[in-house]
Amino acid sequence: MRVVIFGACGTIGKAVAAELAPRHDLIRVGRSSGDYRADMTDLPRVRALLQELGNVDALVCAAGSVHFGPLAQMTPELLEVGLKDKLMGQVNLVLAAQDLLNDNGSITLTSGILSRDPIRFGSSASMVNGAIDSFIRAAAIELPRGLRVNAVSPTVIEDSMELYGTFFRGYEPVSARRAALAYSKSVEGAQTGQVYRVE
Ligand SMILES: NC(=O)c1ccc[n+]([C@@H]2O[C@H](COP(=O)([O-])OP(=O)(O)OC[C@H]3O[C@@H](n4cnc5c(N)ncnc54)[C@H](OP(=O)(O)O)[C@@H]3O)[C@@H](O)[C@H]2O)c1
């Protein structure tokens, strides 16, 4: 299959690429990394890229930023970071992919554990992750041409513990390699409308 991976050079994306590379042709995309440059918050650019590439069977996203901070200091502008980047960026991928992926293709987005197991300072992440999980369930029942969509919802990743460890006391991290298996299930399996919890 030809698989486009947004965020393929990141912590999770690298492991997803390593899992899929032996069996598929990968196209790695980032804003400033990978084979092609595109910002998923820019829907016309995402459409243009998929058109330019053509013949894409699977679109995977392992990207998306949110603001972490206390609720007492949260502002609409800070919430907008996650809404624009992690949520609407990934929704944009679905909007573009529904017209441009090959028949029976798949889309795999990334949410995260905070939708169901919140931490202090994570209200924006919880909101966005919950929205992604709900969106894919609904999109799955409307997608045409046998297209599928799933989300992978991992707990904190071992390699990110140095960065996020203090926020995630008591959480058992998983390896990026294990999280990558859920992306493989989504791309290479037959299910749709699923949220794959990796924890
Ligand atoms: N790491 C964890 O513990 C963990 C746990 C649960 C969920 N998640 C979620 O998993 C996703 C990936 O996390 P990560 O830790 O692997 O992130 P990361 O290491 O920061 O990597 C993110 C990658 O995505 C690309 N990217 C970021 N924003 C983009 C955009 N708007 N358009 C296109 N590419 C973009 C970046 O490359 P460029 O800079 O070149 O664009 C980078 O390669 C995020 O949604 C995160 O919330 C992470």
Side-chain angles (χ1 to χ4, degrees):
M1 278 190 267
R2 284 186 92 219
V3 183
V4 172
I5 306 179
F6 273 73
C9 299
T11 306
I12 293 178
K14 264 189 296 194
V16 174
E19 173 62 34
L20 296 178
R23 301 181 293 282
H24 304 286
D25 293 334
L26 304 187
I27 299 138
R28 295 167 173 81
V29 183
R31 289 164 308 186
S32 57
S33 57
D35 308 315
Y36 287 83
R37 305 290 145 94
D39 187 330
M40 65 184 183
T41 65
D42 181 350
L43 179 56
R45 173 67 191 125
V46 172
R47 278 195 211 282
L49 177 68
L50 289 179
Q51 267 158 350
E52 180 189 343
L53 293 172
N55 189 30
V56 172
D57 301 295
L59 180 56
V60 172
C61 182
S65 307
V66 298
H67 174 78
F68 282 87
L71 184 65
Q73 289 162 26
M74 207 51 94
T75 62
E77 291 74 23
L78 292 173
L79 288 164
E80 184 81 21
V81 173
L83 291 173
K84 184 163 181 266
D85 198 84
K86 185 165 179 175
L87 178 58
M88 281 312 299
Q90 296 198 87
V91 168
N92 282 342
L93 299 185
V94 176
L95 296 182
Q98 67 182 337
D99 301 321
L100 297 169
L101 282 200
N102 288 344
D103 289 358
N104 303 311
S106 72
I107 308 154
T108 308
L109 307 187
T110 301
S111 56
I113 193 172
L114 298 183
S115 61
R116 57 188 179 278
D117 197 359
I119 57 170
R120 213 178 273 122
F121 304 152
S123 59
S124 177
S126 292
M127 173 180 73
V128 164
N129 290 342
I132 292 163
D133 293 349
S134 296
F135 176 73
I136 66 96
R137 284 192 189 95
I141 65 172
E142 284 195 55
L143 280 175
R145 301 183 292 107
L147 294 174
R148 301 181 295 107
V149 63
N150 298 298
V152 177
S153 180
T155 186
V156 65
I157 301 295
E158 281 167 2
D159 294 339
S160 303
M161 281 302 272
E162 204 178 314
L163 217 54
Y164 306 132
T166 52
F167 298 109
F168 284 91
R169 293 293 176 224
Y171 288 66
E172 184 174 1
V174 296
S175 65
R177 203 182 130 270
R178 191 150 90 75
L181 294 175
Y183 293 83
S184 160
K185 186 188 279 188
S186 177
V187 171
E188 300 175 286
Q191 299 176 4
T192 190
Q194 302 301 306
V195 176
Y196 297 119
R197 297 178 176 200
V198 185
E199 53 189 280

